[in-house]
Amino acid sequence: AVVAWCRALGGYLKRIDVYGHLVSAHVSNDYTFLNPAISNLTEMDFNPLDAYHHGQPERIIPLVAATADAGAAYNKPILITEFGGSPMAAGREHLLIEQHAALWAGACVPMSGVPMFWWWQVIDENDLYGRYAAIQTFMTGIDPRNALAKQVKPALGVSENGDPLLLKRYGALGTAAPETLRCYVHPVRFARGDAKLPVAAHLTVTVSGMTPGIFRVEVCETSTGNPVRRFDVRTADGALTVPLPPFSPDCAFKAHLLTPLAAKPAAAP
């Protein structure tokens, strides 16, 4: 009955709306409650849903990534239109950490926009508008409509002087096409209160399946979205390994192909 209602009402709205607004049916829960019969309707233009959860604020990061993966099955945009702690809210510190993490996770996975924070008064009371400006700055030059872009799981590593324990304290997610890449590198758990995470040094991020060549990399601070380091990296065996400068508590980077390299000729039989 719900599917039939969405089909009938969606078709009706499309017939009477001369302005061609997008039509959707909001899922009042997370991606695990997506109904394929509704999501696949031609009358539904995109899939809006929630991303509430219980537990630590960092849980929003894998939840955002899983939401993007779930949306890929329907070949139409997916958007988190509500998030922020549990449906009953959370403390101020929790919400501030989660909102920051969700914005950057959302910018670095293939979604139709960054997640939309439900507790809008927290944004206004704490003057968090600059966080959105930072995302806009970071996304300059990135076309999120790239049909070749897919979510990837970057491999974190440490260089010769790095601390292997960092690999348990940090995670990464990203979106890559053969010639472009954007990634968010984050602590598994953000510092609380006055505590500060130690500076992460000698971390590397590797993504496979990139076009052989030289890539221009811009590492950005998440407080402003501005680049703090630009450098070029050459692929090796189709993989791009980016050495990150020291950062705290998180960072993002984007890369694009600068100079393609010709493939090596096949060896003679």
Side-chain angles (χ1 to χ4, degrees):
V2 173
V3 175
W5 185 86
C6 289
R7 180 185 295 111
L9 189 59
Y12 173 70
L13 290 174
K14 288 180 177 296
R15 289 193 301 273
I16 67 170
D17 181 12
V18 297
Y19 299 103
H21 290 90
L22 297 177
V23 176
S24 66
H26 170 240
V27 177
S28 187
N29 218 309
D30 65 28
Y31 72 94
T32 61
F33 284 78
L34 280 172
N35 183 339
I38 294 177
S39 296
N40 283 318
L41 287 175
T42 57
E43 291 80 6
M44 300 291 108
D45 296 312
F46 71 105
N47 290 316
L49 71 175
D50 301 347
Y52 294 110
H53 64 89
H54 298 280
Q56 297 297 329
E58 297 85 358
R59 290 188 63 186
I60 191 63
I61 297 172
L63 183 52
V64 168
T67 301
D69 275 343
Y74 303 107
N75 196 32
K76 60 181 65 175
I78 191 165
L79 181 64
I80 294 173
T81 53
E82 290 186 34
F83 83 96
S86 78
M88 302 306 294
R92 175 181 178 274
E93 183 182 36
H94 177 121
L95 292 177
L96 292 181
I97 291 172
E98 182 169 339
Q99 192 248 5
H100 170 88
L103 291 182
W104 282 99
C108 290
V109 298
M111 298 181 71
S112 58
V114 294
M116 303 171 74
F117 196 52
W118 177 256
W119 313 106
W120 52 86
Q121 71 276 20
V122 175
I123 296 175
D124 192 59
E125 291 168 358
N126 295 276
D127 192 21
L128 303 182
Y129 300 106
R131 293 182 171 187
Y132 295 91
I135 296 293
Q136 183 182 36
T137 298
F138 175 77
M139 293 298 290
T140 300
I142 295 175
D143 187 351
R145 301 168 299 177
N146 187 343
L148 298 178
K150 307 295 181 184
Q151 184 170 185
V152 295
K153 181 60 178 176
L156 286 181
V158 290
S159 60
E160 183 178 350
N161 297 320
D163 181 0
L165 291 178
L166 288 175
L167 301 180
K168 296 182 178 180
R169 302 193 66 177
Y170 285 87
L173 49 73
T175 294
E179 298 183 358
T180 62
L181 171 67
R182 62 186 189 271
C183 287
Y184 175 49
V185 183
H186 58 87
V188 174
R189 185 168 183 179
F190 281 81
R192 303 296 193 271
D194 296 329
K196 291 186 177 180
L197 282 166
V199 173
H202 307 293
L203 274 177
T204 64
V205 179
T206 300
V207 175
S208 301
M210 307 302 293
T211 297
I214 299 172
F215 281 74
R216 173 65 50 85
V217 177
E218 293 187 19
V219 181
C220 303
E221 58 183 5
T222 58
S223 58
T224 65
N226 291 321
V228 294
R229 193 75 60 87
R230 289 188 181 94
F231 51 89
D232 297 340
V233 178
R234 183 190 294 262
T235 58
D237 298 323
L240 183 70
T241 297
V242 177
L244 297 176
F247 66 89
S248 181
D250 57 357
C251 76
F253 71 86
K254 53 187 177 180
H256 67 274
L257 182 65
L258 195 63
T259 306
L261 299 179
K264 294 181 180 179

